[in-house]
Amino acid sequence: MDETRVRDRAPLTVIVAPSNASPPRLSPADLLPDGDAAFHPLSAVNGRLTPPGLEPASYATLTPLLPLPPISTVSDKFAYHAGGTFTVIQQQQSYASLSPAPYNEPLSPQSAYSRRSASPNSFERRSPTPPLPSPGLDLNAALLAREEQAQQQSQNDTEEINTKELAQRISGELKRYSIPQAIFAQRVLCRSQGTLSDLLRNPKPWSKLKSGRETFRRMWKWLQEPEFQRMSALRLAGTLCMNGIYVFIY
DNA sequence: TATAATAATCGT
DNA sequence: ACGATTATTATA
């Protein structure tokens, strides 16, 4: 719908790659377009995420150090339909399989927001987007998965969001993990710091929102992710900015 | 206390 | 919604 602005400070080479060449290479540096001093991919606190109740470490330090996360996952899928066309993978949930089960949430589960979505204390994994059914594989499974996903999606799209509460929650989380507005806004919302600040302080009621809804949906989604995944999103740079589609950069 | 980092405001 | 500007807060 909207959200199609691509603004890069650093001239990144974005190539939607014809994939008969060698597998895509991502250098960690590419994931950190703005030499963000805040991001220290290596300062992992031996794997454990902030346990409920403990003072949260900075978001930069609590990432459980996924050893070059994207690449392996990605190249799997990549290889999967590396048929000669290009490699675009629907964004989402790429890391779910990589890390040990995370603590879900230091906070109380969302309650008032919605009655339909998300069981409070399970991860309710949306399955990673099933690769396009490839001939010879199990069609039914693929179709089923796809359908589930579609349901999920339409649910998400239909969902009404209590923007006021959402804003509070987000503010809270940003504080807890010392996530700067600028980072969150840019990386997960594709918005500017000022915009986010405004949204958080004076959220308009859902009913009065038009295109602005998308932004709140993103906040909501982010909130539903398990912690490690949220952090990935933070480090990932621009992932969601292109229509929910990953484009490999190399 | 100076400076840097981050957040809030406001005109467009 | 952006982004420049100003205000606030953290830090050396």
Side-chain angles (χ1 to χ4, degrees):
Chain A
M1 319 277 196
D2 51 345
E3 333 298 319
T4 28
R5 185 169 289 90
V6 184
R7 67 191 114 82
D8 281 339
R9 285 77 122 274
L12 284 184
T13 330
V14 176
I15 301 178
V16 178
S19 65
N20 31 31
S22 43
R25 294 204 22 137
L26 289 182
S27 93
D30 291 44
L31 298 180
L32 309 173
D34 37 330
D36 241 332
F39 292 97
H40 300 144
L42 298 186
S43 49
V45 181
N46 72 15
R48 209 48 295 173
L49 298 170
T50 316
L54 290 197
E55 75 176 282
S58 140
Y59 72 104
T61 61
L62 45 58
T63 57
L65 183 48
L66 328 173
L68 301 187
I71 300 181
S72 59
T73 326
V74 145
S75 46
D76 284 353
K77 298 188 179 177
F78 191 94
Y80 197 76
H81 48 175
T85 48
F86 48 73
T87 310
V88 174
I89 292 184
Q90 277 231 313
Q91 68 100 177
Q92 222 44 291
Q93 280 68 52
S94 357
Y95 306 120
S97 53
L98 290 182
S99 309
Y103 288 106
N104 195 13
E105 179 79 331
L107 262 54
S108 61
Q110 75 284 353
S111 44
Y113 298 9
S114 98
R115 311 116 307 182
R116 335 194 74 232
S117 85
S119 36
N121 56 8
S122 74
F123 297 159
E124 192 228 1
R125 273 303 84 213
R126 318 185 227 352
S127 47
T129 307
L132 283 235
S134 103
L137 288 191
D138 194 316
L139 269 203
N140 285 340
L143 288 177
L144 270 185
R146 188 175 218 152
E147 200 167 324
E148 282 175 22
Q149 193 205 0
Q151 285 177 4
Q152 251 286 327
Q153 178 118 48
S154 70
Q155 223 183 55
N156 286 339
D157 291 347
T158 308
E159 185 92 61
E160 292 197 5
I161 293 177
N162 180 335
T163 55
K164 178 96 186 303
E165 283 195 45
L166 215 209
Q168 286 179 320
R169 286 267 307 240
I170 292 288
S171 305
E173 295 300 84
L174 295 189
K175 272 229 163 73
R176 280 185 200 300
Y177 300 112
S178 304
I179 302 167
Q181 290 183 352
I183 294 299
F184 182 74
Q186 183 181 295
R187 307 292 242 270
V188 359
L189 303 179
C190 302
R191 288 287 172 278
S192 65
Q193 177 269 323
T195 299
L196 175 59
S197 175
D198 182 59
L199 290 179
L200 293 181
R201 295 177 66 85
N202 342 298
K204 287 197 253 181
W206 186 255
S207 54
K208 293 191 175 180
L209 285 171
K210 193 199 147 221
S211 59
R213 288 184 177 183
E214 185 54 31
T215 305
F216 281 100
R217 286 203 195 94
R218 287 179 177 179
M219 293 190 219
W220 172 252
K221 272 192 110 182
W222 184 80
L223 222 42
Q224 307 229 279
E225 305 286 346
E227 187 175 64
F228 75 99
Q229 220 166 322
R230 296 187 195 168
M231 299 312 155
S232 299
L234 253 20
R235 280 176 295 114
L236 221 37
T239 290
L240 298 175
C241 293
M242 318 194 69
N243 252 347
I245 290 183
Y246 277 135
V247 176
F248 294 121
I249 304 170
Y250 60 98

